[in-house]
Amino acid sequence: MLELFSPTFQAESLNGISIERLVRDGIRGLIIDLDNTMTPWNDPEISPGVQKWFAELQAAGIQSCVVSNNKHRGRVAVVAEKLGIPFVFRATKPRGRAFRTGMKIMQTGPKDTAVIGDQLFTDILGGNRLNLYTILVVPISKHEFVGTRFLRWMEKILIWLIKHFAPAKNIALKRPD
Ligand SMILES: [Mg+2]
């Protein structure tokens, strides 16, 4: 059961993910969470570091698609459009539908698609259920949707369990200070 919540690896931030490693692992498409993964929660500003990372991603021939549980189309669209990438909003992750939509848009499949996000219960669980490559990032900020805060408590327990009972996995120990 813990395996379902264990990412392939963890990174400090989105732009801390090695594009070389993605290329080496045969990744051609990324399904990327929005809030607290690409930008702080409910904030349209994309940091220069993240912008540069997306430019490098494009140069490496890796596609991306924003897949967000955010219910507001405008919030998701404004960030995706700045980067010129497709998006899916109201995704209801961890359900599989939006992940499959993302892969359809990018014309990728389970073998060459990675999911990147800051939450175990939506991004990582959803990606692992479909046997995708999953990357957990440290949330950009502590501010988040009220419903997420409860899940963070559950996450803490899970992280402890994974650390103690599935130590082979390089699990998320870092959260924002
Ligand atoms: Mg998020």
Side-chain angles (χ1 to χ4, degrees), residues 12-33:
E12 285 284 333
S13 62
L14 186 59
N15 48 314
I17 296 168
S18 160
I19 293 171
E20 251 173 46
R21 179 173 181 175
L22 297 177
V23 171
R24 204 183 330 124
D25 289 350
I27 300 300
R28 290 176 48 243
L30 300 177
I31 287 172
I32 311 181
D33 173 54

Side-chain angles (χ1 to χ4, degrees), residues 85-106:
I85 59 177
F87 66 92
V88 178
F89 73 109
R90 219 189 270 267
T92 63
K93 293 175 285 184
R95 290 173 66 191
R97 182 183 53 88
F99 293 98
R100 284 191 284 268
T101 303
M103 288 191 276
K104 202 170 174 188
I105 291 170
M106 298 189 288

